[in-house]
Amino acid sequence: MQWRQWSMAALALIIGFALGWLVRGSTGGEKKIALKKVLNQLKSNDPVQRVEAAWALASNPIPEAADELAKLLLDREDHVRLAAAVALARIGEPAILPTLQVVKKSAEEAAKNPQQPFHFLPGQFFKQPRDAAVFILTHIARSSEGAKKVAKLLESHDPLEIGIAQQALQQVGSPALPAVLPYLRHARREVRFAALSVISACGEEAIDTLRKFVVESKEEPKTQLDQETMQMAVYSLGNTQSDKALPVLKEALKNPLLETAAWQAIGNLRTEGSKKFLLEQAKRFVKEGKNPPPAMVSAIGASQITEAIPYIRQWLKSPDPRVQEAAALALGMLRDKDAVPLLIPLLNAKDIGLASAVANALGLLAEPQALPALYRALERVKNPSDLQVVLNALTAIQSINERSSIPVLENFVRRPNLPKAVQEQAKRVLDYLQRYGRPSF
């Protein structure tokens, strides 16, 4: 198991640090002689020699040995790989580039021979060089300066480097946040989102950092990218699943640019506090006779607040199609099967977004009584602008999974001039029902 190899590696790293303190009295000349000797040992055909050399470097880190140590991350002996990884972690920043070069070389070789996964090395420790790289960079990033060096990799154009840096910084957690935060204002979108993924992975510990960026920031978004970043930061607060994020999100609701993202994040919290707040808001909008924000309705569905079902049913009659659309999807998410008779008439709505959402909701509810209406919705294929409604209706028919739908679909796919996307979807659904469909009773 990965946790076991990481525990062993961490223990080995501690031993390496302890050994390092014991040998601090070595002279410069001895170190030079030892380096030449230890480099030869690292290249030895004897695994015992390689392990001893790697542990010697773990106890007395020498940056000049980083290249040779990195090569040992591909060693067939797992104890050699473990010792090399610990030594590289102790060397620190000079080990980053050699480590990544070895990982990339391994990935390139694996891509050339996909049927020969040699990169899954034997033994228990670090079966893939990437795992060793994450371990090494994680320990480098535990210092403030090391975290800055690892965070710098978020600017890379190589997805492999970015992924390793993200994973390492996520392992470090909140101590790495000061090094990552500046990248939320980077010129490139992918760098900003990589930084956000690290920050949001810190969970509750990221709330204060995100609060400063979202609420206390005095800079207004100047570009579309700035606005997207702010919205993603708000959305990340929902992933913390902590009521501590709720006050921040309530503040974000006051900003029209962030309101939709804030409702979505509140829905994703799924905490007692967030559910109580959403239910209070639902009651308020009903009492005042006002249309609720569609994003709020969606948030209620995402939070599974069944007490709000009566209010959501009322919103199906809203004059705003976007509110109706959100209400239909929310009832689907809440698995309100009693809402099927209320949804069926809306499948004929002229508004494509609303009709598509109703088809989705009927698929989520998977009630056979909706099948006749869904069959009729397939007739909308005659109107090119209604294709999404037809595709969603086909998906709903598959979700209901009744074999009685097979003759209907067989006739449907025989129609001439069906749009390619519709015909392919219909054939997939037909094949699925023929294989797995339930008999009708």
Side-chain angles (χ1 to χ4, degrees):
M1 294 183 184
Q2 192 177 49
W3 67 267
R4 185 175 296 171
Q5 74 171 14
W6 272 69
S7 299
M8 290 292 293
L11 178 60
L13 187 68
I14 294 170
I15 294 172
F17 273 107
L19 290 171
W21 285 104
L22 293 175
V23 296
R24 284 202 177 263
S26 299
T27 65
E30 289 172 340
K31 180 177 178 180
K32 200 167 185 178
I33 295 170
L35 174 61
K36 185 175 180 180
K37 178 182 178 182
V38 84
L39 288 177
N40 288 332
Q41 282 184 296
L42 290 176
K43 301 174 186 177
S44 170
N45 292 327
D46 183 355
V48 175
Q49 291 280 313
R50 297 196 298 275
V51 167
E52 289 179 354
W55 281 123
L57 289 166
S59 66
N60 187 16
I62 302 174
E64 293 86 349
D67 287 335
E68 290 299 326
L69 279 169
K71 294 175 184 177
L72 294 184
L73 298 178
L74 300 176
D75 202 282
R76 304 296 294 176
E77 298 290 333
D78 65 338
H79 285 82
V80 176
R81 298 196 299 270
L82 172 62
V86 172
L88 288 164
R90 290 221 57 212
I91 286 172
E93 180 194 345
I96 294 176
L97 182 59
T99 298
L100 293 175
Q101 286 175 338
V102 166
V103 175
K104 284 191 278 188
K105 180 181 176 182
S106 171
E108 289 167 1
E109 292 297 321
K112 292 177 185 176
N113 303 285
Q115 304 303 321
Q116 299 177 9
F118 75 94
H119 51 296
F120 289 99
L121 297 164
Q124 297 182 6
F125 303 113
F126 304 131
K127 293 183 177 183
Q128 288 184 294
R130 180 194 171 101
D131 294 338
V134 171
F135 169 80
I136 293 163
L137 267 63
T138 296
H139 286 278
I140 292 172
R142 292 197 184 282
S143 70
S144 58
E145 286 304 310
K148 291 178 183 178
K149 300 299 182 184
V150 175
K152 185 74 176 170
L153 293 171
L154 297 176
E155 293 183 303
S156 172
H157 290 274
D158 185 336
L160 182 62
E161 288 186 357
I162 295 171
I164 292 171
Q166 281 179 293
Q167 199 172 344
L169 292 165
Q170 287 167 356
Q171 294 280 350
V172 174
S174 57
L177 292 180
V180 176
L181 188 58
Y183 292 92
L184 290 181
R185 302 195 184 278
H186 197 276
R188 285 165 45 213
R189 174 182 279 100
E190 59 269 27
V191 176
R192 293 189 185 198
F193 289 174
L196 264 176
S197 75
V198 173
I199 294 171
S200 60
C202 294
E204 193 174 278
E205 295 173 333
I207 293 173
D208 189 56
T209 298
L210 290 169
R211 176 181 56 80
K212 292 175 182 176
F213 181 72
V214 171
V215 177
E216 297 181 3
S217 176
K218 296 179 181 179
E219 294 184 29
E220 290 293 323
K222 297 176 182 177
T223 65
Q224 181 66 29
L225 178 56
D226 289 342
Q227 184 176 326
E228 287 178 16
T229 307
M230 292 284 282
Q231 290 169 341
M232 289 296 292
V234 170
Y235 194 76
S236 296
L237 283 162
N239 297 332
T240 63
Q241 297 188 334
S242 168
D243 272 332
K244 292 182 180 179
L246 190 55
V248 185
L249 291 170
K250 288 181 181 179
E251 285 296 313
L253 286 173
K254 300 174 184 178
N255 186 334
L257 294 176
L258 304 178
E259 181 185 2
T260 298
W263 282 122
Q264 291 173 337
I266 292 170
N268 286 340
L269 283 178
R270 296 186 178 91
T271 60
E272 290 303 314
S274 66
K275 291 179 180 180
K276 180 181 178 182
F277 173 72
L278 287 169
L279 188 57
E280 288 171 351
Q281 295 303 303
K283 291 177 179 178
R284 179 174 70 84
F285 277 100
V286 169
K287 183 178 180 180
E288 295 175 359
K290 296 179 179 179
N291 274 326
M296 187 198 84
V297 182
S298 299
I300 291 171
S303 290
Q304 297 291 296
I305 305 174
T306 55
E307 299 94 324
I309 285 177
Y311 310 129
I312 300 174
R313 289 179 184 172
Q314 289 185 46
W315 294 328
L316 283 177
K317 301 175 184 177
S318 168
D320 184 346
R322 301 289 73 79
V323 175
Q324 289 178 291
E325 179 182 336
L329 288 171
L331 290 170
M333 287 187 280
L334 289 166
R335 300 299 190 269
D336 179 21
K337 294 184 182 294
D338 291 336
V340 172
L342 302 175
L343 291 168
I344 286 175
L346 296 175
L347 200 54
N348 299 320
K350 292 181 179 180
D351 186 276
I352 298 168
L354 173 55
S356 298
V358 170
N360 271 339
L362 291 171
L364 290 170
L365 296 171
E367 279 292 293
Q369 63 176 302
L371 283 173
L374 290 166
Y375 299 155
R376 290 193 296 271
L378 298 181
E379 296 302 318
R380 296 181 71 153
V381 74
K382 299 171 185 176
N383 187 348
S385 62
D386 288 351
L387 293 188
Q388 191 58 55
V389 180
V390 176
L391 292 170
N392 289 1
L394 286 167
T395 302
I397 291 169
Q398 177 175 321
S399 298
I400 295 171
N401 198 26
E402 293 276 348
R403 291 186 65 83
S404 59
S405 298
I406 292 175
V408 176
L409 293 179
E410 286 176 335
N411 290 331
F412 183 70
V413 296
R414 292 194 196 103
R415 292 189 179 191
N417 303 319
L418 278 179
K420 184 179 179 181
V422 172
Q423 187 174 57
E424 290 176 352
Q425 173 78 340
K427 287 181 177 179
R428 282 195 294 268
V429 174
L430 181 58
D431 179 67
Y432 180 88
L433 294 177
Q434 288 169 337
R435 291 170 179 265
Y436 309 110
R438 294 190 302 263
S440 302
F441 296 101

